[in-house]
Amino acid sequence: MYKADSHIHSNFSGDSMEKLENIIERALILKMDEITITDHLDLDFPEEVNIFDLDLKEYLKKIKEIKKQYRKEIKVKIGIELGLQPHLKDKYKEIFQCEDIDFIIGSSHCVRGMDISDKKIFEMYKKDEVHRMYFEEILKNIDIFPEISVYGHLDFVNRYGRSVYEDYKKIDLNLHKDIIDNILKKLIEKNIGIEINTSALRYGLRDFHPCKNILERYKELGGKIITMGSDAHRATDIMRDFDEARNLLKKLGFEKFSTFEKRKVEYRNLD
């Protein structure tokens, strides 16, 4: 069984304190075949101090050193998680042109310039409106950023709004079926994958990102590119709940999951 985790954060991300060396040592304990570091770059994040900026030059230099140091023990890949907003196309040009980057996760952490983890957006709009706005922005971003490898944690908007709505975890999939279908169809058309992100279980959501129903619909529509990511910000969370994720993918009819190298998709057996 091929062991790979394609969504991991180190202390190059402002929301993690984990050293890269600790991450690799944990991966070796887990006897992993490969690991992809995907630290945050989230420009114009609506905070006074943006903790999601990234020193790209230093980041690439450090991971290259790690790759070389551990080259006989594990394959280390260079990834990045970009916070997508429609106006950022030109600002990310350097990333898309960088040949050192193996894998790009595109994620939506903001909607209409507002942080979706901030309760203010849920106070301004009804829950279903926030969810709709979130999916609408994803749909826009797919056209604007066709260079991404996968779209990250597609439905993770349901982590937020708990201080405003008791049922904040519930997304009305019937209400938003049309736009979710359009998102999945567009991703497939543009050869952009999705990820099964296991961090949702750590947030008490009892499902993955995206949820089983969206994963099932992706498969029905012909989707094939799906990476496995823990979204770990601590070494102890690497590959967390991957056995459960593999079992679900197999139950839904997937035979393989994906990894990326030099921005090219590779397929790995789930067994």
Side-chain angles (χ1 to χ4, degrees), residues 104 141-143 145-151 184 186-194 218 225 260:
I104 300 175
N141 285 334
I142 296 168
D143 280 327
F145 302 97
E147 302 91 342
I148 62 174
S149 309
V150 302
Y151 218 106
L184 297 177
K186 188 161 283 195
L187 288 170
I188 293 166
E189 173 194 326
K190 292 184 178 293
N191 211 36
I192 299 169
I194 64 172
Y218 179 65
I225 303 172
F260 280 77

Short mmCIF file of all heavy atoms in Angstrom, two decimals, residues 104 141-143 145-151 184 186-194 218 225 260:
data_model
loop_
_atom_site.label_atom_id
_atom_site.label_comp_id
_atom_site.label_asym_id
_atom_site.label_seq_id
_atom_site.Cartn_x
_atom_site.Cartn_y
_atom_site.Cartn_z
N ILE A 104 -0.04 22.23 -6.27
CA ILE A 104 -0.69 23.46 -5.80
C ILE A 104 -2.13 23.15 -5.38
O ILE A 104 -2.95 22.71 -6.20
CB ILE A 104 -0.70 24.54 -6.90
CG1 ILE A 104 0.73 24.90 -7.33
CG2 ILE A 104 -1.43 25.79 -6.39
CD1 ILE A 104 0.80 25.87 -8.49
N ASN A 141 -13.32 31.02 -9.12
CA ASN A 141 -11.88 30.78 -9.00
C ASN A 141 -11.38 29.68 -9.92
O ASN A 141 -10.23 29.70 -10.37
CB ASN A 141 -11.53 30.44 -7.55
CG ASN A 141 -11.55 31.66 -6.65
OD1 ASN A 141 -11.35 32.78 -7.09
ND2 ASN A 141 -11.78 31.44 -5.36
N ILE A 142 -12.22 28.70 -10.19
CA ILE A 142 -11.80 27.60 -11.08
C ILE A 142 -11.45 28.14 -12.46
O ILE A 142 -10.49 27.70 -13.10
CB ILE A 142 -12.89 26.52 -11.17
CG1 ILE A 142 -13.10 25.86 -9.80
CG2 ILE A 142 -12.52 25.45 -12.19
CD1 ILE A 142 -14.35 25.00 -9.72
N ASP A 143 -12.22 29.10 -12.95
CA ASP A 143 -11.93 29.72 -14.25
C ASP A 143 -10.70 30.61 -14.18
O ASP A 143 -9.90 30.69 -15.12
CB ASP A 143 -13.12 30.54 -14.73
CG ASP A 143 -14.21 29.68 -15.34
OD1 ASP A 143 -13.88 28.65 -15.96
OD2 ASP A 143 -15.40 30.04 -15.20
N PHE A 145 -8.13 30.48 -11.98
CA PHE A 145 -6.88 29.82 -11.59
C PHE A 145 -6.82 28.38 -12.10
O PHE A 145 -6.79 27.44 -11.31
CB PHE A 145 -6.74 29.82 -10.06
CG PHE A 145 -6.78 31.18 -9.42
CD1 PHE A 145 -7.95 31.69 -8.88
CD2 PHE A 145 -5.64 31.96 -9.34
CE1 PHE A 145 -7.99 32.94 -8.28
CE2 PHE A 145 -5.65 33.21 -8.75
CZ PHE A 145 -6.83 33.71 -8.22
N PRO A 146 -6.80 28.19 -13.43
CA PRO A 146 -6.78 26.81 -13.96
C PRO A 146 -5.47 26.09 -13.69
O PRO A 146 -5.37 24.88 -13.94
CB PRO A 146 -6.99 27.03 -15.47
CG PRO A 146 -6.43 28.39 -15.74
CD PRO A 146 -6.76 29.20 -14.51
N GLU A 147 -4.47 26.81 -13.18
CA GLU A 147 -3.15 26.21 -12.94
C GLU A 147 -3.09 25.35 -11.68
O GLU A 147 -2.12 24.63 -11.47
CB GLU A 147 -2.07 27.30 -12.84
CG GLU A 147 -1.95 28.20 -14.05
CD GLU A 147 -2.83 29.46 -13.95
OE1 GLU A 147 -3.77 29.47 -13.12
OE2 GLU A 147 -2.58 30.42 -14.70
N ILE A 148 -4.10 25.45 -10.80
CA ILE A 148 -4.03 24.69 -9.56
C ILE A 148 -4.14 23.19 -9.85
O ILE A 148 -4.69 22.77 -10.87
CB ILE A 148 -5.12 25.13 -8.56
CG1 ILE A 148 -6.53 24.87 -9.11
CG2 ILE A 148 -4.94 26.59 -8.17
CD1 ILE A 148 -7.65 25.14 -8.11
N SER A 149 -3.60 22.39 -8.94
CA SER A 149 -3.63 20.93 -9.10
C SER A 149 -4.94 20.35 -8.60
O SER A 149 -5.55 19.50 -9.25
CB SER A 149 -2.47 20.28 -8.33
OG SER A 149 -1.23 20.88 -8.63
N VAL A 150 -5.36 20.79 -7.41
CA VAL A 150 -6.63 20.36 -6.83
C VAL A 150 -7.26 21.55 -6.12
O VAL A 150 -6.59 22.51 -5.75
CB VAL A 150 -6.47 19.19 -5.82
CG1 VAL A 150 -5.81 17.98 -6.46
CG2 VAL A 150 -5.72 19.63 -4.57
N TYR A 151 -8.58 21.45 -5.90
CA TYR A 151 -9.26 22.43 -5.06
C TYR A 151 -9.38 21.82 -3.66
O TYR A 151 -9.86 20.69 -3.51
CB TYR A 151 -10.64 22.79 -5.61
CG TYR A 151 -10.95 24.27 -5.41
CD1 TYR A 151 -10.94 25.17 -6.46
CD2 TYR A 151 -11.20 24.77 -4.13
CE1 TYR A 151 -11.16 26.52 -6.27
CE2 TYR A 151 -11.43 26.12 -3.93
CZ TYR A 151 -11.41 27.00 -5.00
OH TYR A 151 -11.62 28.34 -4.79
N LEU A 184 -18.10 20.70 -9.68
CA LEU A 184 -17.48 19.40 -9.95
C LEU A 184 -17.28 19.18 -11.45
O LEU A 184 -16.22 18.71 -11.89
CB LEU A 184 -18.33 18.28 -9.36
CG LEU A 184 -18.49 18.30 -7.82
CD1 LEU A 184 -19.43 17.19 -7.36
CD2 LEU A 184 -17.14 18.19 -7.12
N LYS A 186 -16.91 21.48 -13.75
CA LYS A 186 -15.87 22.39 -14.24
C LYS A 186 -14.49 21.90 -13.84
O LYS A 186 -13.53 21.99 -14.62
CB LYS A 186 -16.13 23.80 -13.72
CG LYS A 186 -15.22 24.85 -14.34
CD LYS A 186 -15.76 26.26 -14.17
CE LYS A 186 -16.87 26.55 -15.14
NZ LYS A 186 -17.17 27.99 -15.25
N LEU A 187 -14.36 21.39 -12.62
CA LEU A 187 -13.08 20.83 -12.19
C LEU A 187 -12.66 19.67 -13.09
O LEU A 187 -11.50 19.59 -13.53
CB LEU A 187 -13.17 20.36 -10.74
CG LEU A 187 -13.25 21.45 -9.66
CD1 LEU A 187 -13.59 20.83 -8.30
CD2 LEU A 187 -11.95 22.23 -9.57
N ILE A 188 -13.60 18.80 -13.38
CA ILE A 188 -13.31 17.64 -14.23
C ILE A 188 -12.93 18.10 -15.64
O ILE A 188 -11.96 17.62 -16.23
CB ILE A 188 -14.52 16.68 -14.27
CG1 ILE A 188 -14.73 16.05 -12.88
CG2 ILE A 188 -14.35 15.61 -15.34
CD1 ILE A 188 -16.07 15.37 -12.70
N GLU A 189 -13.69 19.05 -16.15
CA GLU A 189 -13.42 19.59 -17.50
C GLU A 189 -12.02 20.19 -17.60
O GLU A 189 -11.34 20.04 -18.62
CB GLU A 189 -14.48 20.66 -17.81
CG GLU A 189 -14.28 21.44 -19.08
CD GLU A 189 -15.16 22.68 -19.12
OE1 GLU A 189 -16.28 22.64 -18.58
OE2 GLU A 189 -14.70 23.69 -19.68
N LYS A 190 -11.58 20.84 -16.54
CA LYS A 190 -10.28 21.52 -16.57
C LYS A 190 -9.14 20.65 -16.03
O LYS A 190 -8.01 21.12 -15.86
CB LYS A 190 -10.35 22.83 -15.77
CG LYS A 190 -11.26 23.86 -16.43
CD LYS A 190 -11.25 25.18 -15.67
CE LYS A 190 -12.12 26.20 -16.39
NZ LYS A 190 -11.56 26.61 -17.68
N ASN A 191 -9.46 19.38 -15.75
CA ASN A 191 -8.45 18.43 -15.26
C ASN A 191 -7.83 18.87 -13.93
O ASN A 191 -6.65 18.68 -13.68
CB ASN A 191 -7.34 18.22 -16.31
CG ASN A 191 -6.76 16.83 -16.24
OD1 ASN A 191 -7.47 15.86 -15.98
ND2 ASN A 191 -5.46 16.73 -16.46
N ILE A 192 -8.67 19.49 -13.11
CA ILE A 192 -8.28 19.86 -11.76
C ILE A 192 -8.94 18.87 -10.80
O ILE A 192 -10.12 18.55 -10.95
CB ILE A 192 -8.75 21.29 -11.41
CG1 ILE A 192 -8.13 22.31 -12.36
CG2 ILE A 192 -8.41 21.64 -9.97
CD1 ILE A 192 -8.75 23.70 -12.25
N GLY A 193 -8.18 18.37 -9.85
CA GLY A 193 -8.72 17.38 -8.93
C GLY A 193 -9.33 18.00 -7.69
O GLY A 193 -9.47 19.22 -7.56
N ILE A 194 -9.73 17.12 -6.78
CA ILE A 194 -10.15 17.52 -5.45
C ILE A 194 -9.32 16.72 -4.45
O ILE A 194 -8.54 15.84 -4.84
CB ILE A 194 -11.66 17.29 -5.20
CG1 ILE A 194 -12.01 15.80 -5.27
CG2 ILE A 194 -12.49 18.06 -6.22
CD1 ILE A 194 -13.44 15.49 -4.86
N TYR A 218 -18.97 13.41 -7.31
CA TYR A 218 -17.74 13.60 -8.11
C TYR A 218 -17.45 12.32 -8.89
O TYR A 218 -17.12 12.38 -10.09
CB TYR A 218 -16.59 13.95 -7.17
CG TYR A 218 -15.25 14.15 -7.83
CD1 TYR A 218 -15.02 15.19 -8.72
CD2 TYR A 218 -14.18 13.31 -7.53
CE1 TYR A 218 -13.78 15.39 -9.31
CE2 TYR A 218 -12.94 13.50 -8.11
CZ TYR A 218 -12.73 14.53 -9.00
OH TYR A 218 -11.49 14.71 -9.58
N ILE A 225 -9.33 12.44 -10.27
CA ILE A 225 -8.17 12.97 -9.56
C ILE A 225 -8.56 13.33 -8.14
O ILE A 225 -9.31 14.28 -7.90
CB ILE A 225 -7.60 14.22 -10.28
CG1 ILE A 225 -7.23 13.89 -11.72
CG2 ILE A 225 -6.39 14.76 -9.53
CD1 ILE A 225 -6.85 15.10 -12.56
N PHE A 260 1.08 14.12 -6.94
CA PHE A 260 1.59 14.97 -8.02
C PHE A 260 3.11 15.11 -7.92
O PHE A 260 3.67 15.17 -6.83
CB PHE A 260 0.96 16.37 -7.94
CG PHE A 260 -0.43 16.45 -8.51
CD1 PHE A 260 -1.52 15.97 -7.79
CD2 PHE A 260 -0.65 16.99 -9.77
CE1 PHE A 260 -2.80 16.04 -8.31
CE2 PHE A 260 -1.93 17.08 -10.29
CZ PHE A 260 -3.02 16.59 -9.56
#
